[in-house]
Amino acid sequence: MKAIRAMHYGKTDELFLQELPALVPGQNEVLMEVAGSGVNPIDGKLLSGAMKAFVPLEPPYTPGVEVAGRVIATGEAVQQFKAGDEVFGFIGITGGYATQALAMADRLAHRPVRLSALQASGVPAAALTAWQALHEHAKIKPGQTLLIHGAAGGLGSMAVQMARIAGVRVIATASAHNENYLKTLGVEQVIDYTQASFEKVSEKVDVVLDLVGDETQTRSWSLIKAGGVLVSTVTPPDQAIAEAAGVVGKHFATRSDGSQLAQIAALFANGALTIDVEVVPLSQAKVALSRVMDGHTRGKRVLDASL
């Protein structure tokens, strides 16, 4: 197999494609031939060492939290998958930037035929995060209004569509060049944050999904109706501010869940959800990661393991 190896913490330019021994699945694991791997901000955060206190990785290691591909072999205890099955999943914190990957069977789902393997490789992390943020933490309800910061990215675009399916109105902050894209996904109002202060333009909302953090989060509290919710995937909300505003602030880590991903796969299968991906060769992983870490990208970057 081949894999991108991160050689040192704090040096995002030190990613190298290397030959490695083939992998062998454990009792509850699935070994797959990787078609594609999604590129996510968490990959860069892990590589930078910013999460070392919580996830102590020892380089060299293979980055990549999500993949899609074909099953090569399964462990003895695996019943739900067999060789030849097309699968995808949020596999964990490492291992995706490669031509082979291992995953616990309960973190995988069958890939919907409507999605190519490369499209599917960009789905699991973003879709599971969006689903859990909206349904488990914000507990959105039909008729509510949701404000999303960072709506044009992979996670934001999933959240827009899931909110629309749930009967929730969506307002979003984004760059002007993403306005038409977001409106096709179901955003009712797009606020160009480079031209207007969103807290002066936006109406009061029931829920804020904060994918930006820091100052953007601080400026959002005044927009939330009493009893509303702010959910952040980046900066843990200040609970004193939340209490003073009469709202709930939540921060969470995404749970890998194959059964939940299968529910989401059904929404892709019937056309309710779509994904926009930019395909980059596996050998150009550091270029793709750099673009993702810079922000302001539309949809997802995925690595093509065949290139």
Side-chain angles (χ1 to χ4, degrees), residues 27 35 39 54 58 68 88 101 103 105 150 164 170 177 213 220 230 239 271:
Q27 186 176 18
V39 181
F54 309 100
E58 289 300 327
F88 69 139
R164 180 204 67 207
V170 181
H177 67 271
S220 298
L230 182 148
Q239 295 303 322

Side-chain angles (χ1 to χ4, degrees), residues 86-137:
E86 295 285 343
V87 297
F88 69 139
F90 181 15
I91 63 173
I93 59 174
T94 62
Y97 293 9
T99 57
Q100 288 185 6
L102 288 171
M104 299 297 291
D106 62 2
R107 295 184 172 188
L108 299 175
H110 289 94
R111 171 172 64 85
V113 176
R114 198 182 188 104
L115 288 181
S116 70
L118 287 172
Q119 288 174 312
S121 69
V123 167
L128 286 169
T129 303
W131 186 272
Q132 290 165 25
L134 296 177
H135 292 289
E136 296 181 8
H137 297 283

Side-chain angles (χ1 to χ4, degrees), residues 37-241:
S37 177
V39 181
N40 294 279
I42 192 174
D43 301 334
K45 291 178 181 178
L46 289 166
L47 182 58
S48 72
M51 299 179 66
K52 192 173 184 178
F54 309 100
V55 188
L57 298 173
E58 289 300 327
Y61 71 93
T62 302
V65 301
E66 60 180 351
V67 298
R70 179 173 294 137
V71 175
I72 299 173
T74 63
E76 294 179 0
V78 177
Q79 301 293 321
Q80 63 269 53
F81 302 108
K82 64 183 184 304
D85 283 356
E86 295 285 343
V87 297
F88 69 139
F90 181 15
I91 63 173
I93 59 174
T94 62
Y97 293 9
T99 57
Q100 288 185 6
L102 288 171
M104 299 297 291
D106 62 2
R107 295 184 172 188
L108 299 175
H110 289 94
R111 171 172 64 85
V113 176
R114 198 182 188 104
L115 288 181
S116 70
L118 287 172
Q119 288 174 312
S121 69
V123 167
L128 286 169
T129 303
W131 186 272
Q132 290 165 25
L134 296 177
H135 292 289
E136 296 181 8
H137 297 283
K139 301 185 185 301
I140 57 173
K141 300 177 180 65
Q144 289 185 323
T145 300
L146 165 69
L147 170 63
I148 302 178
H149 296 305
L155 170 53
S157 61
M158 284 291 104
V160 168
Q161 295 174 82
M162 289 178 182
R164 180 204 67 207
I165 292 168
V168 172
R169 295 178 58 240
V170 181
I171 299 171
T173 60
S175 300
H177 67 271
N178 284 319
E179 180 174 0
N180 289 338
Y181 168 63
L182 288 172
K183 286 190 172 180
T184 65
L185 296 181
V187 174
E188 186 171 299
Q189 178 188 7
V190 178
I191 301 170
D192 179 0
Y193 64 87
T194 67
Q195 300 296 320
S197 297
F198 65 82
E199 68 271 32
K200 296 180 180 179
V201 176
S202 176
E203 63 189 82
K204 290 274 189 175
V205 299
D206 300 284
V207 178
V208 170
L209 178 57
D210 170 31
L211 310 179
V212 178
D214 299 325
E215 180 194 4
T216 298
Q217 181 181 115
T218 302
R219 292 161 53 201
S220 298
W221 294 109
S222 63
L223 290 176
I224 307 172
K225 297 175 183 177
V229 183
L230 182 148
V231 179
S232 178
T233 62
V234 281
T235 306
D238 185 314
Q239 295 303 322
I241 295 177

